Amino acid sequence: MKEKIAAISIGVNLLLAGAKIAAGVFSRSAAVAAEGAHSFVDVFASAVGYWGIKISQKPADKKHPYGYYKFEVLAGAAITLILLATGAGIVWEAIQKLSAPQKAEIGYWAFAAMFFSAAANEIMARIKIHFGKKENSISLLSDGVHSRVDVFASLGVFAGLFLVEYWIYADAVLALLIGVYIIKESFSLGKEAADSLLDVSAGREIEGKIADLAKEMNVDIDSLTTQKKGAAAAANLVINLPKDLKVEAAAGIAEELRKKLTGKIKNLAFVAIQIKSHQIETGFYKSAFGKGMGWRQAGRFKKDIEGAAGFGPAGECFCQKCGYEIAHERGIPCSNLNCPDCKINLQRK
Protein backbone atom coordinates (compact mmCIF):
# COMPACT_ATOMS: atom_id res chain seq x y z
CA MET A 1 0.00 0.00 0.00
CA LYS A 2 2.71 2.47 0.95
CA GLU A 3 4.49 1.87 -2.37
CA LYS A 4 1.31 2.81 -4.28
CA ILE A 5 0.84 5.95 -2.19
CA ALA A 6 4.44 7.01 -2.85
CA ALA A 7 3.93 6.49 -6.60
CA ILE A 8 0.68 8.50 -6.57
CA SER A 9 2.48 11.27 -4.68
CA ILE A 10 5.02 11.62 -7.49
CA GLY A 11 2.20 12.02 -10.04
CA VAL A 12 0.29 14.54 -7.91
CA ASN A 13 3.39 16.68 -7.33
CA LEU A 14 4.18 16.66 -11.06
CA LEU A 15 0.61 17.81 -11.77
CA LEU A 16 0.78 20.58 -9.16
CA ALA A 17 4.16 21.80 -10.37
CA GLY A 18 2.85 22.04 -13.95
CA ALA A 19 -0.35 23.79 -12.84
CA LYS A 20 1.54 26.42 -10.81
CA ILE A 21 4.00 27.15 -13.61
CA ALA A 22 1.16 27.44 -16.16
CA ALA A 23 -0.82 29.71 -13.81
CA GLY A 24 2.28 31.83 -13.19
CA VAL A 25 2.96 32.27 -16.88
CA PHE A 26 -0.71 32.90 -17.73
CA SER A 27 -1.18 35.46 -14.95
CA ARG A 28 2.35 36.86 -15.40
CA SER A 29 3.11 36.14 -11.75
CA ALA A 30 6.80 35.43 -11.22
CA ALA A 31 6.12 34.44 -7.58
CA VAL A 32 3.64 31.69 -8.54
CA ALA A 33 5.89 30.47 -11.37
CA ALA A 34 8.77 30.27 -8.87
CA GLU A 35 6.52 28.33 -6.50
CA GLY A 36 5.85 25.92 -9.37
CA ALA A 37 9.58 25.44 -9.89
CA HIS A 38 9.92 24.83 -6.15
CA SER A 39 7.26 22.11 -6.42
CA PHE A 40 9.70 20.05 -8.46
CA VAL A 41 11.63 19.65 -5.20
CA ASP A 42 8.49 17.89 -3.92
CA VAL A 43 8.64 15.58 -6.93
CA PHE A 44 12.24 14.74 -6.08
CA ALA A 45 11.38 14.15 -2.41
CA SER A 46 8.51 11.82 -3.34
CA ALA A 47 10.77 9.97 -5.80
CA VAL A 48 13.36 9.45 -3.05
CA GLY A 49 10.63 8.10 -0.77
CA TYR A 50 9.36 5.73 -3.45
CA TRP A 51 12.90 4.49 -4.12
CA GLY A 52 13.45 3.79 -0.42
CA ILE A 53 10.15 1.93 -0.01
CA LYS A 54 10.74 -0.10 -3.19
CA ILE A 55 14.22 -1.28 -2.16
CA SER A 56 13.20 -1.94 1.44
CA GLN A 57 10.81 -4.65 0.27
CA LYS A 58 13.55 -6.78 -1.28
CA PRO A 59 13.94 -10.19 0.45
CA ALA A 60 16.83 -10.90 2.81
CA ASP A 61 20.00 -12.41 1.37
CA LYS A 62 23.47 -13.46 2.56
CA LYS A 63 24.82 -9.90 2.43
CA HIS A 64 21.74 -8.41 4.11
CA PRO A 65 20.45 -11.12 6.50
CA TYR A 66 18.13 -8.62 8.18
CA GLY A 67 16.69 -7.44 4.88
CA TYR A 68 16.76 -4.00 3.25
CA TYR A 69 14.45 -2.18 5.65
CA LYS A 70 16.94 0.57 6.44
CA PHE A 71 16.91 1.81 2.85
CA GLU A 72 13.50 3.24 3.66
CA VAL A 73 14.99 4.88 6.74
CA LEU A 74 17.77 6.37 4.59
CA ALA A 75 15.15 7.73 2.18
CA GLY A 76 13.28 9.26 5.12
CA ALA A 77 16.52 10.86 6.36
CA ALA A 78 17.13 12.33 2.89
CA ILE A 79 13.61 13.81 2.78
CA THR A 80 14.18 15.21 6.28
CA LEU A 81 17.29 17.03 5.02
CA ILE A 82 15.26 18.44 2.12
CA LEU A 83 12.65 19.56 4.65
CA LEU A 84 15.31 21.20 6.82
CA ALA A 85 16.74 23.05 3.80
CA THR A 86 13.23 24.22 2.85
CA GLY A 87 12.60 25.57 6.35
CA ALA A 88 15.95 27.33 6.43
CA GLY A 89 15.22 28.89 3.03
CA ILE A 90 11.84 30.18 4.20
CA VAL A 91 13.39 31.68 7.35
CA TRP A 92 16.10 33.38 5.30
CA GLU A 93 13.54 34.81 2.87
CA ALA A 94 11.39 36.00 5.77
CA ILE A 95 14.36 37.83 7.33
CA GLN A 96 15.01 39.52 3.98
CA LYS A 97 11.37 40.63 3.82
CA LEU A 98 11.51 42.00 7.36
CA SER A 99 14.38 44.28 6.33
CA ALA A 100 12.58 45.43 3.16
CA PRO A 101 8.81 44.75 3.49
CA GLN A 102 6.66 44.88 0.34
CA LYS A 103 2.98 44.43 -0.38
CA ALA A 104 2.33 41.20 -2.26
CA GLU A 105 -0.18 40.99 -5.11
CA ILE A 106 -1.62 37.91 -6.77
CA GLY A 107 -4.10 37.50 -9.64
CA TYR A 108 -7.25 35.38 -9.68
CA TRP A 109 -5.72 32.57 -11.76
CA ALA A 110 -2.67 32.45 -9.58
CA PHE A 111 -4.85 32.52 -6.47
CA ALA A 112 -6.92 29.60 -7.83
CA ALA A 113 -3.76 27.60 -8.60
CA MET A 114 -2.38 28.17 -5.10
CA PHE A 115 -5.71 27.23 -3.51
CA PHE A 116 -5.96 24.01 -5.58
CA SER A 117 -2.36 23.17 -4.71
CA ALA A 118 -2.99 23.68 -0.99
CA ALA A 119 -6.11 21.46 -1.06
CA ALA A 120 -4.38 18.66 -3.01
CA ASN A 121 -1.30 18.77 -0.78
CA GLU A 122 -3.42 18.60 2.38
CA ILE A 123 -5.23 15.50 1.09
CA MET A 124 -1.94 13.82 0.18
CA ALA A 125 -0.36 14.89 3.49
CA ARG A 126 -3.21 13.30 5.46
CA ILE A 127 -2.99 10.06 3.47
CA LYS A 128 0.80 9.78 3.70
CA ILE A 129 0.97 10.64 7.41
CA HIS A 130 -1.87 8.20 8.19
CA PHE A 131 -0.29 5.25 6.38
CA GLY A 132 3.19 6.31 7.46
CA LYS A 133 2.14 5.88 11.10
CA LYS A 134 0.08 2.76 10.39
CA GLU A 135 2.89 0.95 8.55
CA ASN A 136 5.71 2.46 10.59
CA SER A 137 7.17 4.07 7.44
CA ILE A 138 9.57 6.93 8.17
CA SER A 139 9.92 7.62 4.45
CA LEU A 140 6.17 8.05 3.91
CA LEU A 141 5.78 10.00 7.14
CA SER A 142 8.58 12.42 6.19
CA ASP A 143 7.08 12.93 2.72
CA GLY A 144 3.68 13.57 4.32
CA VAL A 145 5.13 16.29 6.53
CA HIS A 146 6.87 17.72 3.45
CA SER A 147 3.50 17.92 1.66
CA ARG A 148 1.99 19.68 4.65
CA VAL A 149 4.79 22.25 4.50
CA ASP A 150 3.43 23.35 1.11
CA VAL A 151 -0.04 23.68 2.64
CA PHE A 152 1.29 25.93 5.42
CA ALA A 153 3.29 27.95 2.90
CA SER A 154 0.18 28.50 0.75
CA LEU A 155 -1.95 29.41 3.79
CA GLY A 156 0.77 31.83 4.86
CA VAL A 157 0.64 33.50 1.45
CA PHE A 158 -3.15 33.78 1.62
CA ALA A 159 -3.13 35.18 5.16
CA GLY A 160 -0.33 37.57 4.29
CA LEU A 161 -2.28 38.99 1.33
CA PHE A 162 -5.08 40.08 3.68
CA LEU A 163 -3.12 41.03 6.81
CA VAL A 164 -0.47 43.05 4.98
CA GLU A 165 -3.12 45.73 4.38
CA TYR A 166 -3.13 46.35 8.13
CA TRP A 167 0.49 45.55 8.99
CA ILE A 168 3.27 45.67 6.42
CA TYR A 169 5.34 43.02 8.26
CA ALA A 170 2.52 40.44 8.47
CA ASP A 171 3.65 38.39 5.45
CA ALA A 172 7.27 38.21 6.63
CA VAL A 173 6.36 37.31 10.23
CA LEU A 174 4.01 34.53 9.09
CA ALA A 175 6.73 33.14 6.80
CA LEU A 176 9.23 33.25 9.68
CA LEU A 177 6.89 31.30 11.98
CA ILE A 178 6.23 28.71 9.27
CA GLY A 179 9.96 28.32 8.60
CA VAL A 180 10.74 27.79 12.30
CA TYR A 181 7.94 25.20 12.53
CA ILE A 182 9.32 23.33 9.51
CA ILE A 183 12.82 23.25 11.03
CA LYS A 184 11.37 21.92 14.31
CA GLU A 185 9.50 19.14 12.46
CA SER A 186 12.60 18.21 10.46
CA PHE A 187 14.59 17.71 13.68
CA SER A 188 11.82 15.50 15.13
CA LEU A 189 11.72 13.35 12.00
CA GLY A 190 15.52 13.29 11.84
CA LYS A 191 15.69 11.95 15.39
CA GLU A 192 13.31 9.11 14.49
CA ALA A 193 15.37 8.24 11.40
CA ALA A 194 18.59 8.31 13.43
CA ASP A 195 17.04 6.01 16.05
CA SER A 196 16.22 3.40 13.41
CA LEU A 197 19.69 3.62 11.91
CA LEU A 198 21.24 3.14 15.36
CA ASP A 199 19.12 0.05 16.17
CA VAL A 200 17.33 1.51 19.18
CA SER A 201 14.77 -0.52 21.10
CA ALA A 202 11.55 -1.34 19.27
CA GLY A 203 9.71 0.37 22.11
CA ARG A 204 7.61 -0.44 25.17
CA GLU A 205 4.52 -1.29 23.14
CA ILE A 206 6.11 -4.20 21.25
CA GLU A 207 8.06 -5.36 24.31
CA GLY A 208 4.86 -5.28 26.35
CA LYS A 209 3.04 -7.41 23.77
CA ILE A 210 5.89 -9.94 23.78
CA ALA A 211 5.76 -10.15 27.58
CA ASP A 212 1.98 -10.55 27.58
CA LEU A 213 2.01 -13.34 24.98
CA ALA A 214 4.76 -15.18 26.89
CA LYS A 215 2.76 -14.81 30.09
CA GLU A 216 -0.30 -16.33 28.39
CA MET A 217 1.80 -19.45 27.70
CA ASN A 218 3.26 -19.46 31.26
CA VAL A 219 6.74 -18.87 29.82
CA ASP A 220 9.21 -17.07 32.08
CA ILE A 221 11.30 -14.50 30.20
CA ASP A 222 14.80 -14.25 31.65
CA SER A 223 15.82 -11.37 29.38
CA LEU A 224 14.36 -9.53 26.40
CA THR A 225 16.04 -7.15 23.94
CA THR A 226 14.48 -5.63 20.84
CA GLN A 227 15.75 -3.60 17.93
CA LYS A 228 14.03 -1.25 15.54
CA LYS A 229 15.06 -1.90 11.93
CA GLY A 230 13.10 0.60 9.88
CA ALA A 231 9.57 -0.70 9.39
CA ALA A 232 10.51 -4.04 10.98
CA ALA A 233 11.48 -5.05 14.51
CA ALA A 234 13.71 -7.80 15.90
CA ALA A 235 13.49 -9.53 19.27
CA ASN A 236 15.94 -11.69 21.22
CA LEU A 237 14.48 -13.68 24.11
CA VAL A 238 16.10 -15.80 26.76
CA ILE A 239 13.47 -17.95 28.48
CA ASN A 240 13.42 -20.43 31.37
CA LEU A 241 11.40 -23.63 31.33
CA PRO A 242 11.12 -26.39 33.94
CA LYS A 243 14.35 -28.44 33.80
CA ASP A 244 12.44 -31.71 34.04
CA LEU A 245 10.93 -31.04 30.60
CA LYS A 246 12.36 -33.15 27.80
CA VAL A 247 14.30 -31.26 25.15
CA GLU A 248 11.68 -32.04 22.50
CA ALA A 249 8.91 -30.61 24.72
CA ALA A 250 10.95 -27.49 25.51
CA ALA A 251 11.70 -26.97 21.82
CA GLY A 252 8.00 -27.34 21.03
CA ILE A 253 7.07 -24.62 23.54
CA ALA A 254 9.70 -22.29 22.07
CA GLU A 255 8.38 -22.95 18.57
CA GLU A 256 4.80 -22.29 19.64
CA LEU A 257 5.86 -19.03 21.32
CA ARG A 258 7.76 -17.98 18.22
CA LYS A 259 4.72 -18.60 16.00
CA LYS A 260 2.47 -16.67 18.36
CA LEU A 261 4.85 -13.69 18.52
CA THR A 262 5.33 -13.37 14.76
CA GLY A 263 1.66 -14.05 14.09
CA LYS A 264 0.16 -11.52 16.50
CA ILE A 265 2.74 -8.71 16.46
CA LYS A 266 2.58 -7.13 13.02
CA ASN A 267 6.02 -5.50 12.71
CA LEU A 268 7.95 -8.26 14.47
CA ALA A 269 9.90 -9.78 11.57
CA PHE A 270 12.83 -11.43 13.39
CA VAL A 271 12.73 -13.56 16.53
CA ALA A 272 15.57 -15.41 18.27
CA ILE A 273 14.73 -17.57 21.32
CA GLN A 274 17.23 -19.16 23.66
CA ILE A 275 16.04 -21.66 26.27
CA LYS A 276 18.49 -21.01 29.08
CA SER A 277 17.45 -24.01 31.15
CA HIS A 278 18.04 -26.43 28.23
CA GLN A 279 20.91 -24.74 26.35
CA ILE A 280 18.83 -24.48 23.16
CA GLU A 281 19.01 -21.48 20.89
CA THR A 282 17.12 -20.70 17.70
CA GLY A 283 16.88 -17.77 15.34
CA PHE A 284 13.93 -17.19 13.07
CA TYR A 285 13.34 -14.92 10.10
CA LYS A 286 9.74 -14.52 9.01
CA SER A 287 9.29 -16.39 5.72
CA ALA A 288 7.70 -13.37 4.05
CA PHE A 289 11.02 -11.56 4.35
CA GLY A 290 13.24 -14.26 2.83
CA LYS A 291 12.60 -18.01 2.91
CA GLY A 292 16.24 -18.91 2.43
CA MET A 293 17.31 -17.35 5.70
CA GLY A 294 14.40 -18.98 7.51
CA TRP A 295 15.43 -22.44 6.36
CA ARG A 296 19.04 -21.95 7.44
CA GLN A 297 17.98 -20.83 10.88
CA ALA A 298 15.59 -23.80 11.19
CA GLY A 299 18.49 -26.12 10.38
CA ARG A 300 20.57 -24.59 13.13
CA PHE A 301 17.69 -25.05 15.56
CA LYS A 302 17.47 -28.74 14.70
CA LYS A 303 21.22 -29.18 15.15
CA ASP A 304 21.12 -27.54 18.58
CA ILE A 305 18.26 -29.78 19.68
CA GLU A 306 20.07 -32.90 18.53
CA GLY A 307 23.21 -31.87 20.40
CA ALA A 308 21.34 -31.09 23.60
CA ALA A 309 19.32 -34.29 23.40
CA GLY A 310 22.41 -36.48 23.05
CA PHE A 311 22.00 -37.47 19.38
CA GLY A 312 25.50 -36.36 18.37
CA PRO A 313 28.15 -33.66 18.68
CA ALA A 314 26.23 -31.30 16.37
CA GLY A 315 29.17 -29.37 14.92
CA GLU A 316 32.12 -27.55 16.39
CA CYS A 317 32.96 -24.76 18.78
CA PHE A 318 35.27 -22.13 17.28
CA CYS A 319 37.13 -18.93 18.12
CA GLN A 320 35.84 -16.01 16.10
CA LYS A 321 39.17 -14.22 16.42
CA CYS A 322 41.79 -16.83 15.41
CA GLY A 323 39.67 -19.65 13.97
CA TYR A 324 40.60 -22.30 16.59
CA GLU A 325 38.10 -25.19 16.48
CA ILE A 326 37.16 -28.04 18.79
CA ALA A 327 34.42 -30.65 18.49
CA HIS A 328 31.27 -29.68 20.34
CA GLU A 329 30.48 -31.92 23.31
CA ARG A 330 26.81 -32.45 23.98
CA GLY A 331 25.58 -30.84 27.15
CA ILE A 332 28.45 -28.33 27.27
CA PRO A 333 27.66 -24.91 25.74
CA CYS A 334 30.42 -23.51 23.51
CA SER A 335 30.20 -20.23 25.43
CA ASN A 336 31.50 -22.06 28.52
CA LEU A 337 34.78 -22.91 26.74
CA ASN A 338 37.70 -20.53 26.11
CA CYS A 339 40.17 -20.33 23.23
CA PRO A 340 43.60 -21.46 24.58
CA ASP A 341 45.37 -18.70 22.58
CA CYS A 342 42.97 -15.73 22.62
CA LYS A 343 41.36 -16.45 25.99
CA ILE A 344 37.89 -15.54 24.74
CA ASN A 345 34.64 -17.56 24.77
CA LEU A 346 34.11 -19.94 21.87
CA GLN A 347 31.04 -19.80 19.65
CA ARG A 348 28.90 -22.50 18.06
CA LYS A 349 29.65 -23.20 14.39
Side-chain angles (χ1 to χ4, degrees):
M1 186 65 180
K2 58 185 177 181
E3 185 179 341
K4 291 181 180 179
I5 294 172
I8 292 171
S9 179
I10 295 173
V12 170
N13 284 330
L14 277 170
L15 176 64
L16 294 178
K20 287 180 184 178
I21 290 174
V25 172
F26 187 75
S27 63
R28 297 179 181 180
S29 172
V32 176
E35 184 64 25
H38 174 261
S39 290
F40 279 107
V41 176
D42 302 338
V43 177
F44 175 72
S46 294
V48 169
Y50 176 80
W51 168 81
I53 291 171
K54 186 78 174 177
I55 294 181
S56 70
Q57 294 177 349
K58 291 176 65 176
D61 52 36
K62 285 184 178 180
K63 191 173 182 180
H64 301 87
Y66 282 95
Y68 290 76
Y69 299 103
K70 289 189 179 180
F71 275 87
E72 185 176 348
V73 181
L74 286 173
I79 296 172
T80 299
L81 290 176
I82 295 172
L83 194 62
L84 177 62
T86 301
I90 291 174
V91 169
W92 174 255
E93 188 177 345
I95 292 173
Q96 297 293 98
K97 286 182 179 180
L98 283 172
S99 61
Q102 292 180 348
K103 284 189 176 182
E105 295 183 2
I106 187 169
Y108 291 112
W109 280 104
F111 185 88
M114 294 291 287
F115 180 81
F116 173 74
S117 174
N121 274 316
E122 177 59 22
I123 292 171
M124 289 305 302
R126 286 174 181 264
I127 292 172
K128 286 185 280 191
I129 290 173
H130 171 75
F131 282 97
K133 291 179 178 178
K134 183 179 179 181
E135 301 195 21
N136 199 24
S137 171
I138 295 177
S139 176
L140 206 57
L141 190 61
S142 298
D143 198 26
V145 173
H146 193 265
S147 293
R148 182 148 286 166
V149 164
D150 289 341
V151 178
F152 289 150
S154 297
L155 291 176
V157 170
F158 295 149
L161 287 173
F162 294 104
L163 296 177
V164 76
E165 295 292 333
Y166 306 100
W167 187 36
I168 192 67
Y169 296 102
D171 183 53
V173 170
L174 284 172
L176 181 63
L177 292 174
I178 291 171
V180 171
Y181 171 79
I182 293 169
I183 291 173
K184 173 184 172 294
E185 285 296 298
S186 67
F187 275 104
S188 297
L189 291 169
K191 181 181 180 301
E192 190 169 348
D195 284 347
S196 288
L197 290 172
L198 295 172
D199 287 337
V200 296
S201 164
R204 292 183 179 180
E205 183 179 354
I206 287 181
E207 291 180 354
K209 288 180 179 179
I210 292 173
D212 290 342
L213 290 171
K215 189 175 181 180
E216 286 179 10
M217 293 181 58
N218 295 319
V219 173
D220 174 44
I221 296 179
D222 186 86
S223 68
L224 168 64
T225 56
T226 60
Q227 289 180 324
K228 190 175 183 181
K229 296 182 178 296
N236 292 276
L237 294 83
V238 178
I239 64 175
N240 283 311
L241 295 174
K243 292 186 178 182
D244 57 351
L245 274 178
K246 290 186 178 180
V247 172
E248 292 89 341
I253 292 173
E255 178 68 7
E256 185 182 351
L257 175 61
R258 187 269 301 167
K259 286 182 178 179
K260 185 169 286 191
L261 292 177
T262 55
K264 293 193 175 183
I265 302 176
K266 182 182 177 182
N267 296 323
L268 190 59
F270 311 98
V271 175
I273 300 176
Q274 178 183 347
I275 308 177
K276 188 177 180 181
S277 53
H278 290 65
Q279 299 298 339
I280 299 175
E281 183 178 357
T282 177
F284 174 77
Y285 294 77
K286 213 181 234 185
S287 59
F289 300 94
K291 290 184 177 179
M293 291 305 300
W295 290 336
R296 278 192 287 275
Q297 293 299 317
R300 177 186 170 191
F301 186 30
K302 182 180 178 182
K303 184 183 286 187
D304 285 343
I305 293 173
E306 289 175 349
F311 299 142
E316 296 80 27
C317 301
F318 79 105
C319 175
Q320 193 174 20
K321 187 175 181 181
C322 70
Y324 168 80
E325 291 186 3
I326 186 173
H328 174 262
E329 295 183 23
R330 58 190 181 191
I332 302 177
C334 293
S335 57
N336 287 359
L337 303 176
N338 292 332
C339 174
D341 298 323
C342 304
K343 307 300 182 184
I344 62 174
N345 293 337
L346 299 182
Q347 294 185 13
R348 189 69 166 274
K349 189 174 183 180

